[in-house]
Amino acid sequence: RGAVCGLLAAALFGVSAPIAKRLLGETTPQVLAGLLYLGAGVGLWLYRRARPTRGEARLRREDVPRLLGVTVAGGVVGPVLMLFGLERVSAITGSLLLNLEAPFTIAVAVVVFREHLGRHAGGAIALILAGAAILKVEPGSVGADTPGVLLLAGACLAWAIDNNLTQTLSLRDPFAVVRAKALGAGAFNLAIGLVLAGGQLPGAGVVATALALGCVSYGVSVV
């Protein structure tokens, strides 16, 4: 069940890069990041209102530091870096570079949380890093410039920290964890984005698409 959930999460997150790349032509990275995470937070809040549960452990006061880390790393820093990176590379290149999240997550788990790294996992990391290196040297439209690669790598590192901190909260209600992260990060990024954009939101169609995409790719996928 865990493997199936993981694959479904990857698929739902995977659709975000090409669609977000198209939306970037209509709004700024900060505003789009805010809308994506607000869509996730509102969607999960509505679901919990429709289907309340008492079987999950609630968040506690001692969870606040880790939840704050999850929100900042995964909800504020990660998506903004990704969207700035997608402005500089193609959607295909961006989607492939986002695979760096996996080896970065493993590296943080091994170095910081002292988890065991097996031989096969080490080989998988090497293949992913080799793929990223090939993209960097590939000429033409598939190639990626250095700032774009670094921005997307930074996003993956932020999400790697997020993943490891989220794992420590896995015994809590997953809807509550993701909802708190999404609403906090979404409100912060949207506020900053509107200040930088002079208080101007994109068109209603862009807003609706971003909210729906966020609900699926950043809400359902994380849960």
Side-chain angles (χ1 to χ4, degrees), residues 65-71 73 108 113 159-170 177:
R66 287 174 293 172
L67 186 58
L68 183 61
V70 165
T71 302
V108 173
F113 293 93
W159 279 319
I161 297 170
D162 172 16
N163 290 337
N164 280 277
L165 289 176
T166 299
Q167 197 279 332
T168 66
L169 296 170
S170 59
V177 172

mmCIF file of all heavy atoms in Angstrom, residues 65-71 73 108 113 159-170 177:
data_model
loop_
_atom_site.group_PDB
_atom_site.id
_atom_site.type_symbol
_atom_site.label_atom_id
_atom_site.label_comp_id
_atom_site.label_asym_id
_atom_site.label_seq_id
_atom_site.Cartn_x
_atom_site.Cartn_y
_atom_site.Cartn_z
ATOM 1 N N PRO A 65 7.456 23.314 16.090
ATOM 2 C CA PRO A 65 8.734 23.602 15.421
ATOM 3 C C PRO A 65 8.915 22.821 14.121
ATOM 4 O O PRO A 65 9.354 23.381 13.110
ATOM 5 C CB PRO A 65 9.781 23.214 16.470
ATOM 6 C CG PRO A 65 9.072 23.354 17.772
ATOM 7 C CD PRO A 65 7.665 22.916 17.505
ATOM 8 N N ARG A 66 8.606 21.524 14.145
ATOM 9 C CA ARG A 66 8.755 20.731 12.927
ATOM 10 C C ARG A 66 7.746 21.156 11.867
ATOM 11 O O ARG A 66 8.069 21.207 10.666
ATOM 12 C CB ARG A 66 8.587 19.244 13.247
ATOM 13 C CG ARG A 66 9.785 18.644 13.987
ATOM 14 C CD ARG A 66 9.519 17.222 14.411
ATOM 15 N NE ARG A 66 8.475 17.154 15.430
ATOM 16 C CZ ARG A 66 7.934 16.023 15.872
ATOM 17 N NH1 ARG A 66 8.324 14.866 15.364
ATOM 18 N NH2 ARG A 66 7.015 16.036 16.801
ATOM 19 N N LEU A 67 6.531 21.477 12.290
ATOM 20 C CA LEU A 67 5.519 21.929 11.335
ATOM 21 C C LEU A 67 5.930 23.261 10.706
ATOM 22 O O LEU A 67 5.706 23.487 9.509
ATOM 23 C CB LEU A 67 4.168 22.066 12.035
ATOM 24 C CG LEU A 67 2.963 22.398 11.148
ATOM 25 C CD1 LEU A 67 2.774 21.338 10.066
ATOM 26 C CD2 LEU A 67 1.703 22.514 11.991
ATOM 27 N N LEU A 68 6.548 24.128 11.492
ATOM 28 C CA LEU A 68 7.047 25.391 10.959
ATOM 29 C C LEU A 68 8.155 25.142 9.935
ATOM 30 O O LEU A 68 8.212 25.791 8.879
ATOM 31 C CB LEU A 68 7.561 26.266 12.092
ATOM 32 C CG LEU A 68 8.052 27.672 11.700
ATOM 33 C CD1 LEU A 68 6.928 28.478 11.069
ATOM 34 C CD2 LEU A 68 8.610 28.400 12.922
ATOM 35 N N GLY A 69 9.036 24.193 10.234
ATOM 36 C CA GLY A 69 10.090 23.845 9.283
ATOM 37 C C GLY A 69 9.529 23.296 7.988
ATOM 38 O O GLY A 69 10.005 23.627 6.889
ATOM 39 N N VAL A 70 8.520 22.429 8.096
ATOM 40 C CA VAL A 70 7.850 21.881 6.916
ATOM 41 C C VAL A 70 7.241 23.005 6.082
ATOM 42 O O VAL A 70 7.348 23.021 4.847
ATOM 43 C CB VAL A 70 6.768 20.873 7.355
ATOM 44 C CG1 VAL A 70 5.814 20.565 6.210
ATOM 45 C CG2 VAL A 70 7.418 19.588 7.864
ATOM 46 N N THR A 71 6.593 23.950 6.748
ATOM 47 C CA THR A 71 5.912 25.034 6.040
ATOM 48 C C THR A 71 6.902 25.934 5.311
ATOM 49 O O THR A 71 6.704 26.279 4.139
ATOM 50 C CB THR A 71 5.076 25.869 7.030
ATOM 51 O OG1 THR A 71 4.125 25.006 7.675
ATOM 52 C CG2 THR A 71 4.335 26.984 6.316
ATOM 53 N N ALA A 73 10.241 25.322 4.529
ATOM 54 C CA ALA A 73 11.061 24.640 3.525
ATOM 55 C C ALA A 73 10.215 24.160 2.348
ATOM 56 O O ALA A 73 10.534 24.429 1.188
ATOM 57 C CB ALA A 73 11.793 23.460 4.160
ATOM 58 N N VAL A 108 19.589 13.652 3.041
ATOM 59 C CA VAL A 108 19.222 14.262 4.323
ATOM 60 C C VAL A 108 18.862 13.183 5.342
ATOM 61 O O VAL A 108 19.243 13.266 6.516
ATOM 62 C CB VAL A 108 18.041 15.244 4.132
ATOM 63 C CG1 VAL A 108 17.536 15.749 5.489
ATOM 64 C CG2 VAL A 108 18.469 16.426 3.267
ATOM 65 N N PHE A 113 19.282 12.173 9.796
ATOM 66 C CA PHE A 113 18.428 11.279 10.587
ATOM 67 C C PHE A 113 19.004 9.874 10.737
ATOM 68 O O PHE A 113 18.350 8.986 11.282
ATOM 69 C CB PHE A 113 17.031 11.214 9.959
ATOM 70 C CG PHE A 113 16.284 12.518 10.037
ATOM 71 C CD1 PHE A 113 16.348 13.434 8.993
ATOM 72 C CD2 PHE A 113 15.534 12.840 11.154
ATOM 73 C CE1 PHE A 113 15.674 14.647 9.069
ATOM 74 C CE2 PHE A 113 14.853 14.040 11.236
ATOM 75 C CZ PHE A 113 14.925 14.954 10.193
ATOM 76 N N TRP A 159 12.527 20.618 -0.565
ATOM 77 C CA TRP A 159 11.525 19.561 -0.407
ATOM 78 C C TRP A 159 12.104 18.326 0.268
ATOM 79 O O TRP A 159 11.376 17.565 0.915
ATOM 80 C CB TRP A 159 10.919 19.212 -1.758
ATOM 81 C CG TRP A 159 9.846 20.168 -2.169
ATOM 82 C CD1 TRP A 159 8.877 20.718 -1.369
ATOM 83 C CD2 TRP A 159 9.631 20.712 -3.472
ATOM 84 N NE1 TRP A 159 8.078 21.558 -2.106
ATOM 85 C CE2 TRP A 159 8.507 21.577 -3.388
ATOM 86 C CE3 TRP A 159 10.258 20.556 -4.699
ATOM 87 C CZ2 TRP A 159 8.005 22.279 -4.482
ATOM 88 C CZ3 TRP A 159 9.755 21.249 -5.797
ATOM 89 C CH2 TRP A 159 8.657 22.095 -5.684
ATOM 90 N N ALA A 160 13.409 18.095 0.111
ATOM 91 C CA ALA A 160 14.042 16.979 0.819
ATOM 92 C C ALA A 160 13.978 17.199 2.324
ATOM 93 O O ALA A 160 13.686 16.280 3.103
ATOM 94 C CB ALA A 160 15.494 16.831 0.359
ATOM 95 N N ILE A 161 14.251 18.425 2.755
ATOM 96 C CA ILE A 161 14.120 18.758 4.178
ATOM 97 C C ILE A 161 12.674 18.609 4.617
ATOM 98 O O ILE A 161 12.371 18.048 5.683
ATOM 99 C CB ILE A 161 14.630 20.190 4.419
ATOM 100 C CG1 ILE A 161 16.121 20.281 4.092
ATOM 101 C CG2 ILE A 161 14.373 20.619 5.862
ATOM 102 C CD1 ILE A 161 16.671 21.693 4.076
ATOM 103 N N ASP A 162 11.771 19.103 3.788
ATOM 104 C CA ASP A 162 10.335 18.986 4.062
ATOM 105 C C ASP A 162 9.938 17.522 4.220
ATOM 106 O O ASP A 162 9.235 17.149 5.176
ATOM 107 C CB ASP A 162 9.564 19.643 2.910
ATOM 108 C CG ASP A 162 8.060 19.420 2.972
ATOM 109 O OD1 ASP A 162 7.548 19.026 4.034
ATOM 110 O OD2 ASP A 162 7.393 19.637 1.946
ATOM 111 N N ASN A 163 10.379 16.665 3.305
ATOM 112 C CA ASN A 163 10.003 15.244 3.344
ATOM 113 C C ASN A 163 10.445 14.579 4.640
ATOM 114 O O ASN A 163 9.694 13.796 5.248
ATOM 115 C CB ASN A 163 10.619 14.503 2.151
ATOM 116 C CG ASN A 163 9.991 14.904 0.839
ATOM 117 O OD1 ASN A 163 8.863 15.381 0.793
ATOM 118 N ND2 ASN A 163 10.723 14.719 -0.247
ATOM 119 N N ASN A 164 11.673 14.859 5.056
ATOM 120 C CA ASN A 164 12.192 14.225 6.265
ATOM 121 C C ASN A 164 11.495 14.741 7.517
ATOM 122 O O ASN A 164 11.204 13.965 8.441
ATOM 123 C CB ASN A 164 13.702 14.447 6.354
ATOM 124 C CG ASN A 164 14.486 13.495 5.472
ATOM 125 O OD1 ASN A 164 14.756 12.361 5.860
ATOM 126 N ND2 ASN A 164 14.843 13.945 4.295
ATOM 127 N N LEU A 165 11.200 16.043 7.562
ATOM 128 C CA LEU A 165 10.469 16.576 8.710
ATOM 129 C C LEU A 165 9.033 16.061 8.718
ATOM 130 O O LEU A 165 8.489 15.755 9.784
ATOM 131 C CB LEU A 165 10.478 18.105 8.665
ATOM 132 C CG LEU A 165 11.827 18.775 8.955
ATOM 133 C CD1 LEU A 165 11.718 20.277 8.771
ATOM 134 C CD2 LEU A 165 12.303 18.446 10.365
ATOM 135 N N THR A 166 8.417 15.951 7.538
ATOM 136 C CA THR A 166 7.045 15.441 7.455
ATOM 137 C C THR A 166 6.981 13.996 7.935
ATOM 138 O O THR A 166 6.016 13.577 8.576
ATOM 139 C CB THR A 166 6.521 15.548 6.016
ATOM 140 O OG1 THR A 166 6.521 16.920 5.623
ATOM 141 C CG2 THR A 166 5.095 15.017 5.922
ATOM 142 N N GLN A 167 8.037 13.217 7.630
ATOM 143 C CA GLN A 167 8.053 11.816 8.067
ATOM 144 C C GLN A 167 8.013 11.714 9.587
ATOM 145 O O GLN A 167 7.402 10.804 10.144
ATOM 146 C CB GLN A 167 9.303 11.132 7.511
ATOM 147 C CG GLN A 167 9.245 9.610 7.540
ATOM 148 C CD GLN A 167 9.583 9.034 8.896
ATOM 149 O OE1 GLN A 167 10.336 9.624 9.670
ATOM 150 N NE2 GLN A 167 9.021 7.874 9.201
ATOM 151 N N THR A 168 8.626 12.673 10.272
ATOM 152 C CA THR A 168 8.593 12.643 11.733
ATOM 153 C C THR A 168 7.206 12.985 12.279
ATOM 154 O O THR A 168 6.939 12.764 13.460
ATOM 155 C CB THR A 168 9.617 13.631 12.331
ATOM 156 O OG1 THR A 168 9.238 14.979 12.005
ATOM 157 C CG2 THR A 168 11.009 13.353 11.788
ATOM 158 N N LEU A 169 6.340 13.527 11.421
ATOM 159 C CA LEU A 169 4.962 13.850 11.817
ATOM 160 C C LEU A 169 3.964 12.838 11.263
ATOM 161 O O LEU A 169 2.754 13.085 11.284
ATOM 162 C CB LEU A 169 4.588 15.252 11.313
ATOM 163 C CG LEU A 169 5.381 16.421 11.909
ATOM 164 C CD1 LEU A 169 5.071 17.703 11.133
ATOM 165 C CD2 LEU A 169 5.041 16.597 13.379
ATOM 166 N N SER A 170 4.455 11.701 10.763
ATOM 167 C CA SER A 170 3.583 10.761 10.067
ATOM 168 C C SER A 170 2.553 10.094 10.972
ATOM 169 O O SER A 170 1.563 9.547 10.478
ATOM 170 C CB SER A 170 4.427 9.676 9.375
ATOM 171 O OG SER A 170 5.209 8.967 10.320
ATOM 172 N N VAL A 177 -1.728 18.010 9.010
ATOM 173 C CA VAL A 177 -0.359 18.446 8.742
ATOM 174 C C VAL A 177 -0.295 19.214 7.427
ATOM 175 O O VAL A 177 0.228 20.337 7.361
ATOM 176 C CB VAL A 177 0.597 17.240 8.703
ATOM 177 C CG1 VAL A 177 1.992 17.672 8.233
ATOM 178 C CG2 VAL A 177 0.682 16.584 10.068
#
